[in-house]
Amino acid sequence: MHIEAADSDARGKAMTDIKAVTEILMFGAGGHAAAVSDVIRDIGDFHISGVIDDSLELQGKRLFGSVVIGGHQQVYMDGLETIAIFLGIGDNLTRARIARSLADREFPILVHPTAHVGTNVSLGEGTVVMPRAIIENGAKVGAHCIINNGAVVGHGSVVEDYCHVSGNAVLAGGVSLGERCLVGIGGCVLPNVAIGQDSIVSAGSVANRSAPERHYIMSPSARIIRRYKK
C-alpha cells in the first residue's frame, strides 16, 4: 500500500489507504518508539491504545500514555485484532522481519505537523516522517521507513522499504536507496547516486558515487571500506 500525498493533506496526520486512524498499538518500547510516541502526541487526534513488547519486565507498566500489554502474540487478542499497528523499532532488519510477520495488519503513515511533504510524493505504509523533515516533489518512500528529524529526501528520489534516513541526513535529487539502507546522522548522498540494499552511509559521510549492496560507505571520498555478510 502507498498513499499519494500532496502537501495539503499529508502533514500532521495518521493515515491508511482507506481511513483516518484513531487508535494505534505501538510495537516496541525503546528509544525510537518513544520518539514516535511524541509524533503521535503532536498530531493529537488519536492515541496509543496499548504497547507491545516481549520484555517480561515491562509488562503491565505504563509507557507513552498507555500500558505494556504483552508480547507479539497479544496483537491478536480479542478487541485488538483490528487495531492498526505502528512499529516503533529503529533497527531496519528487525523492523522488516516483524512487518512481514504481521502482513495481515494495517500500518498507518505518520507525518509530523512540522514536516514538509511535497506534491506527487508517495509514502508507504508504516512510514514515519519526523519533525522538520522535508520530502520534495516526486519522491517515493517505501513501507516502514524512518525519515528522521530534519532529514531531506530530494526531488525524484526513491527510498525502498525499511530504510532509515537519519537526523539531518540529505538525499539530493534523483537518489536511490535499496531496501534496508541506513544513511547515518548528517550523511549526504549526492544527486543521482544509487546505494544498494542493506548498505550503510556512515554518519557525516558524503556518498558521491554509487555503491553495491551490503557495503559500508565512509568519507573522505565516499570510500567503500568493505563488504559485509548479511
Side-chain angles (χ1 to χ4, degrees), residues 1-3 10 13-16 24 32 36 39-40 43 85-88 95 99 106-112 117 121-130 133 135 140-148 153 159-165:
M1 177 196 75
H2 282 71
I3 290 179
K13 291 187 178 181
M15 305 175 293
T16 71
I24 287 178
H32 181 58
V36 172
V39 174
I40 291 171
I43 292 172
I85 296 172
F86 198 86
L87 301 182
R95 192 167 64 257
E106 273 195 309
F107 298 96
I109 297 165
L110 303 180
V111 180
H112 192 270
V117 178
V121 167
S122 174
L123 302 175
E125 66 176 1
T127 283
V128 60
V129 184
M130 303 289 272
I135 304 179
K140 297 184 183 301
V141 179
H144 300 285
C145 290
I146 303 168
I147 310 301
N148 222 315
V153 178
V159 179
E160 299 289 352
D161 298 346
Y162 316 115
C163 287
H164 184 175
V165 183

Side-chain angles (χ1 to χ4, degrees), residues 32-72:
H32 181 58
V36 172
S37 75
D38 285 344
V39 174
I40 291 171
R41 177 202 64 197
D42 291 347
I43 292 172
D45 59 357
F46 65 106
H47 68 281
I48 298 171
S49 56
V51 179
I52 302 295
D53 194 89
D54 289 330
S55 171
L56 295 176
E57 294 179 357
L58 291 177
Q59 291 184 19
K61 294 186 176 180
R62 291 194 64 82
L63 285 176
F64 321 137
S66 189
V67 175
V68 181
I69 58 178
H72 195 150

Side-chain angles (χ1 to χ4, degrees), residues 215-226:
H215 278 72
Y216 292 105
I217 301 158
M218 182 179 294
S219 285
S221 300
R223 185 165 59 98
I224 301 173
I225 59 176
R226 71 176 183 276

Side-chain angles (χ1 to χ4, degrees), residues 66-83:
S66 189
V67 175
V68 181
I69 58 178
H72 195 150
Q73 70 281 0
Q74 300 301 108
V75 300
Y76 294 106
M77 285 178 58
D78 288 347
L80 300 180
E81 67 273 17
T82 60
I83 296 178

Side-chain angles (χ1 to χ4, degrees), residues 130-198:
M130 303 289 272
R132 304 181 312 283
I134 297 171
I135 304 179
E136 294 181 348
N137 189 299
K140 297 184 183 301
V141 179
H144 300 285
C145 290
I146 303 168
I147 310 301
N148 222 315
N149 300 325
V152 176
V153 178
H155 57 86
S157 291
V158 176
V159 179
E160 299 289 352
D161 298 346
Y162 316 115
C163 287
H164 184 175
V165 183
S166 299
N168 296 315
V170 176
L171 309 183
V175 165
S176 175
L177 296 185
E179 288 190 359
R180 299 174 298 276
C181 281
L182 169 65
V183 181
I185 294 170
C188 180
V189 184
L190 295 188
N192 303 312
V193 166
I195 305 296
Q197 67 180 27
D198 298 300

